[in-house]
Amino acid sequence: MLSVRLSFRAKLLVALVGTVGLLLTVILVIVRGQTQRQIDRVVELATTRSRDAFAEQERVLDDQLVRLGLRLAEGVRVLAALQAALESGDPLVLAAAAADELKLAGFERGLLSFTDAEGRPLLSFVAAQPVELPAVAEDPLVERVLREGAANVFGYRLVSDTLYAVHVLPLEFFGQLLGTLTLGFPVGDDLARDFGSVIDAEVCFVARGRCVASTAAADSALRSAMVAHAGGTTPRLSARSQGRWILVSDRLSTGSSTEGWRVIAVRVDEVLMPLERIGRAASFAGAAALALAIVLGVILSRGLTNPVRELVAATQRLGRGEFDTRVDVKSGDEIGILARAFNEMITQRRALEEELRQAQKMEAVGRLAGGIAHDFGNVLTVIKSATELLLQEMRAEDPRREDLEQVRQAADRATGLVRQLLAFSRRQVFEPQVMDLTSVLSTELKMLRRLLSADVEVVMDLESDLGAVRGDPGHIGQVLMNLVVNARDAMPAGGRLSITTRNVELDEDSARRRVAAKPGPYVVLDVSDTGVGMSKEVQERIFEPFFTTKDVGKGTGLGLATVYGLVRQAGGHIEVHSEPGRGSTFRIYFPCCEEQPARPGVPRSQPAVRPATGTETIFVIEDDSGIRAVVRKILSRQGYTVIEAATAAEAVSIARGHSGTIHLLLTDIGLPDGSGTELAELITSKRPETQVLCMSGYAEGEARRFEESQLRWAFLEKPFSPEILIRRVREVLDAPLAP
């Protein structure tokens, strides 16, 4: 690209030259416009003058024809012969009389034609010889005399290959209209030259696409140009070797279907020469201005390019990864302002890149943790359920029961780890609602005080008029509990725990400094302690799952990872500020919403719980054969009829072939060949009486599919125990059908 290869000095020169070029273009456009207007005026004036002069010559010619026509029309022998020819139908009587009159008038080269009162041709003479002309339907010249009552009409008529200038007048005999008389002179080069000499222009008559008469030489380019312009609606400026000409075309009334044109060429060389001189002067001025711009550009660029060169060098160092680069420009002009902005941008970029790397790392770890939690949850579901079934079958005094109890306890602990991993990876069930953060925190802190020792002072500063936020109150409690426990462990000898809330407004600049943050109102929650603090290296890994600074056996490393995941799932942003020996502050930004939190109402009475057994038919769709088998065994023991499928396609086939009622569809959300929620939509559209219970460990992609339908279907989170499965199935079966 040219813009990349040019130096700043070259670009400055190009800019100055371009500016001058633009100004020059504007000037030339103005000059060109003025010139064109002058040319248009010349064309208009020449066109008007030539047309007026030609019209005057046509009137002179018409006068000659009128005088001759009146002589013939007033001749008694001609009128008597015309009446006799009309009465007898024999045109020979008229021919003899007309021939004598033509000889007497000396009109031996022209056109003479008679028509009756209906416009039908009776007799025609060309060069004093009778001829038979083709009939012309509704000749406009004759029609104007017969139908419109015109005294006389001038026009043109094409006979064979000869164009005639004709005059049509009525023939009357003692007040009776007998017909019309048409007289015409042939239009040849002689007549054209007569016209041209009077109007001081070249003239060309065109008919049937060829020149029938012209003042221009037969083989000249001007004649060809005039023939080509015949029929043109606007005057045209034509430049030929013989000079510059304005061509004007007007249609001739030929009295036939063949169109005829008169083209006038007016020479305008003398008028255009001053305009050409103006154009040459403008071009010279433009070249001089361009040269001046180049000289000024070279002078100015020397004083401006040195600071800019410093900026370019710093940018190149930045491109090579030298993020500690700085621009040392101390001037107070715009270049100095740009240099200071560049230095500030480098500082912000380093901070944003570090935060982005951390966010990308956390996202990658979250995906991995979510996938592990999903697969591990399926395994734990089988382990927990199988252990519960074995314990139900054993007697209390069986010595193996103690071993199974340890298996169950270990599975319960593993289930807690899975849920923490799901929280970190933002795959936990999310039940958002508009809430007042102050009320939620006040309720949670009453229960969390017992986690703190007596030597920890709790200071609360909760703003009373906080904006409403959207989130899951259970998740907020989980976030606060993990932060309080983390603060407690950071103050083994006691200290002060501060919890504050406030409203803030993030502007464009503040939001830009935080990854994925948007400008707008936020509610800020600060949880601060006076503990041992953290180093920068620890802060970089503080939210990673299984990372901990505690001794072995004293922490899982999932507490702050859970906080990070739940805050991000709520659309928030979390920051940590800490120094060794100076405590830590965790700052959480929750975006505000426009809705108002619902007022707490009177708790509704819980409906009576029915026994967990039943006789309904339950359709289980689960691709994991171990989970499918243990679910079938659990539900069958409770009296339910269980049918099962491993894929969505198999489930559709079984549902179509099943003749009885399917009371409950228990389906995994993530199936190998489709979505469980889409499968539920399909089956319930055919079986509206069927309830739906979705289950999942929330692998990647399943969260979005469930969030789209969580307001419609009930949900069962993996891993689950037989007791939870049985109770949840019964609750869904007893609930009213979803709309």
Side-chain angles (χ1 to χ4, degrees), residues 18-30 282-287 289-290:
T19 302
V20 174
L22 178 61
L23 293 175
L24 178 60
T25 301
V26 173
I27 293 173
L28 291 177
V29 168
I30 295 174
S283 300
F284 177 78
L290 188 61

Side-chain angles (χ1 to χ4, degrees), residues 597-617:
R599 296 182 179 179
V602 179
R604 293 179 296 179
S605 58
Q606 298 293 328
V609 179
R610 289 183 52 186
T613 59
T615 59
E616 291 90 344
T617 299

Side-chain angles (χ1 to χ4, degrees), residues 406-419:
Q406 292 182 357
V407 172
R408 182 171 64 178
Q409 293 173 7
D412 289 339
R413 289 196 299 273
T415 299
L417 292 176
V418 167
R419 291 204 168 97

Side-chain angles (χ1 to χ4, degrees), residues 466-482:
L466 282 180
V469 298
R470 182 182 296 275
D472 189 326
H475 289 181
I476 299 298
Q478 198 172 352
V479 167
L480 185 60
M481 181 191 70
N482 282 304

Side-chain angles (χ1 to χ4, degrees), residues 355 437 479 483 498-502 504 506 514 522-529 534 539 542-543 560 563-564 567-568 572-578 584-590:
E355 189 173 354
L437 193 60
V479 167
L483 292 178
S498 301
I499 300 174
T500 62
T501 59
R502 67 183 188 279
V504 298
L506 289 185
R514 295 168 174 84
Y522 285 80
V523 170
V524 175
L525 168 63
D526 284 344
V527 178
S528 305
D529 62 66
M534 293 177 284
Q539 293 179 51
I542 194 67
F543 297 118
L560 293 179
V563 170
Y564 178 87
V567 170
R568 296 293 292 169
H573 180 79
I574 184 169
E575 300 174 352
V576 58
H577 305 277
S578 180
S584 303
T585 297
F586 289 87
R587 180 163 297 160
I588 303 174
Y589 292 83
F590 292 106

Side-chain angles (χ1 to χ4, degrees), residues 254-526:
T254 61
S256 67
S257 59
T258 302
E259 291 184 341
W261 302 91
R262 177 198 65 209
V263 182
I264 302 173
V266 182
R267 192 161 188 169
V268 291
D269 286 329
E270 295 182 358
V271 179
L272 293 181
M273 288 178 61
L275 299 178
E276 292 177 348
R277 285 195 293 270
I278 293 174
R280 286 193 295 270
S283 300
F284 177 78
L290 188 61
L292 180 61
I294 295 175
V295 174
L296 291 176
V298 172
I299 296 174
L300 291 175
S301 63
R302 291 179 178 177
L304 294 176
T305 53
N306 288 336
V308 176
R309 190 179 296 112
E310 290 289 335
L311 278 172
V312 172
T315 304
Q316 292 173 343
R317 292 194 298 271
L318 181 64
R320 293 193 297 267
E322 301 176 18
F323 297 112
D324 292 331
T325 186
R326 285 290 183 272
V327 180
D328 186 16
V329 177
K330 299 181 175 59
S331 62
D333 57 8
E334 289 79 359
I335 300 297
I337 295 174
L338 181 61
R340 288 191 292 274
F342 179 86
N343 293 335
E344 183 179 355
M345 179 193 69
I346 295 301
T347 303
Q348 293 181 4
R349 173 173 175 169
R350 285 204 303 270
L352 283 174
E353 284 185 344
E354 184 63 29
E355 189 173 354
L356 180 60
R357 280 196 297 269
Q358 180 71 9
Q360 290 173 339
K361 179 176 67 175
M362 297 301 291
E363 181 67 22
V365 174
R367 289 174 180 268
L368 176 63
I372 293 174
H374 175 266
D375 295 339
F376 195 33
N378 287 344
V379 176
L380 284 176
T381 299
V382 178
I383 294 174
K384 287 169 62 71
S385 300
T387 302
E388 290 287 349
L389 292 176
L390 287 174
L391 287 172
Q392 292 175 9
E393 295 174 354
M394 284 186 177
R395 297 188 303 274
E397 63 275 8
D398 193 317
R400 295 172 296 176
R401 189 175 185 87
E402 182 179 355
D403 296 331
L404 288 176
E405 289 288 354
Q406 292 182 357
V407 172
R408 182 171 64 178
Q409 293 173 7
D412 289 339
R413 289 196 299 273
T415 299
L417 292 176
V418 167
R419 291 204 168 97
Q420 286 183 302
L421 284 174
L422 289 174
F424 167 73
S425 60
R426 306 195 296 278
R427 301 293 183 267
Q428 253 190 349
V429 179
F430 187 53
E431 298 178 358
Q433 64 184 58
V434 180
M435 59 183 179
D436 178 14
L437 193 60
T438 298
S439 301
V440 175
L441 294 177
S442 300
T443 302
E444 294 292 336
L445 284 172
K446 292 178 182 178
M447 297 182 291
L448 292 176
R449 285 184 181 274
R450 55 190 173 195
L451 298 176
L452 304 173
S453 58
D455 55 0
V456 174
E457 177 188 5
V458 179
V459 178
M460 295 179 57
D461 183 12
L462 306 181
E463 189 168 323
S464 59
D465 191 21
L466 282 180
V469 298
R470 182 182 296 275
D472 189 326
H475 289 181
I476 299 298
Q478 198 172 352
V479 167
L480 185 60
M481 181 191 70
N482 282 304
L483 292 178
V484 168
V485 170
N486 185 77
R488 179 200 65 188
D489 295 341
M491 299 183 292
R496 183 172 67 253
L497 173 65
S498 301
I499 300 174
T500 62
T501 59
R502 67 183 188 279
N503 293 313
V504 298
E505 182 82 21
L506 289 185
D507 55 18
E508 291 281 353
D509 187 56
S510 300
R512 194 163 45 245
R513 295 194 183 110
R514 295 168 174 84
V515 176
K518 297 180 180 179
Y522 285 80
V523 170
V524 175
L525 168 63
D526 284 344

